[in-house]
Structures are given as structure tokens and as C-alpha cells.
Amino acid sequence: MEQKSYEDAVGYCTKALENNPHFSKALKRRARANWEWGKWSALEASLKDCEEYLKPFPGDQEIQKLHSQLPARIELQKKRETEEMMGKLKDVGNQFLGMFGMTLDNFQMKQDPKTGSYSVQMNNEAKKNDKFNVYFTFFKIYGSFVSKIREA
């Protein structure tokens, strides 16, 4: 079955459960479809469905097996999707900073041990970047100019 088919199966089972909340076959199928779909949110939904299904059917070995494997699989998928999202965010940041001849590698984050908050600082290589310094100076002057206009 293709990804779209798992998504469709989840939708059909959800619709069936809306019409009849005690339709155990639909709950079981939705748990399996979410498992196969494999997205982080789908796996979490599968875990909830398994727990709900096991209340009236604690002896169902297929769902017991799914239920026991889900926490580790959820953590793995959560890590994968988080890394993918962070990579995309880094790409966007690098695309913007590229206009100034920089990348995110020109910055470092430092955590304050007292508060837990982070501060972002440019590393020494970034400070040597002439193109950045020109843009920085321009925006600094532009900001002062705009402030003076607003005051007038």
C-alpha cells in the first residue's frame, strides 16, 4: 500500500469511528494504518488507538506487539523528523545570510547556565567579513534615519 492509501485508510476508519465509536475493527485497522504510514504524529495516534483497543481486547497479540514496539519507533521517527526540520530551517537561514556573504556557521549559540536562555554571537571569522560589515553599517545608518523621520 502506498503512503496515500494509509492516509486514506486512517480517514475511512476515523469516519467509521465517528459513526460508531465502538467499531473495534475500524480502531484496529486505524492503528495498523497509522503504524504503516510511519509519520511521527501517525505513530503517536497508533499508540493511542492500540491502548484504546487493548482495553476491551487485552489478549490481542497483534495489537500488543504493535503497542510494545511503538514507543521506540516514535522516538526514532521524532528524531528523524526533527533533524529534517532543523536542516530545512538551516537552509532557509543560510539562504538569507548568503545575501551578506555568511552562513549560520558564522554564528554560535551559548547557553547561560543560570537562566537556561541562549544568546547568539558571531564568531571571529564572521566579524572579518567585509560584505557583512558594509550591510551592517548600512542598516545601522538606515535605522537611525528612519528613527529621526518618525520623530519629526
Side-chain angles (χ1 to χ4, degrees), residues 56-69:
F57 304 103
D60 188 308
Q61 292 192 358
E62 177 188 359
I63 297 299
Q64 283 178 349
K65 183 178 178 183
L66 238 59
H67 185 260
S68 67
Q69 294 173 350

Side-chain angles (χ1 to χ4, degrees), residues 142-152:
Y142 178 77
S144 298
F145 177 71
V146 170
S147 297
K148 298 228 186 263
I149 290 175
R150 288 185 181 162
E151 290 173 6

Side-chain angles (χ1 to χ4, degrees), residues 10-40:
V10 168
Y12 296 140
C13 291
T14 300
K15 194 73 165 168
L17 287 163
E18 287 171 1
N19 292 328
N20 180 0
H22 303 292
F23 190 10
S24 60
K25 192 173 184 178
L27 187 62
K28 185 175 182 176
R29 283 186 179 168
R30 187 171 72 178
R32 282 188 288 170
N34 273 321
W35 165 272
E36 294 296 335
W37 193 1
K39 290 173 52 178
W40 176 17

Side-chain angles (χ1 to χ4, degrees), residues 6-7 9-11 13-14 17 24 26-55 63 66-67 69-71 73-75 77-78 81:
Y6 297 126
E7 188 176 359
V10 168
C13 291
T14 300
L17 287 163
S24 60
L27 187 62
K28 185 175 182 176
R29 283 186 179 168
R30 187 171 72 178
R32 282 188 288 170
N34 273 321
W35 165 272
E36 294 296 335
W37 193 1
K39 290 173 52 178
W40 176 17
S41 58
L43 293 172
E44 287 183 332
S46 181
L47 182 64
K48 288 178 186 174
D49 285 347
C50 286
E51 289 168 353
E52 191 65 32
Y53 184 84
L54 288 172
K55 288 176 186 174
I63 297 299
L66 238 59
H67 185 260
Q69 294 173 350
L70 274 164
R73 188 159 179 220
I74 288 170
E75 282 305 309
Q77 190 61 27
K78 177 181 174 181
E81 289 182 28

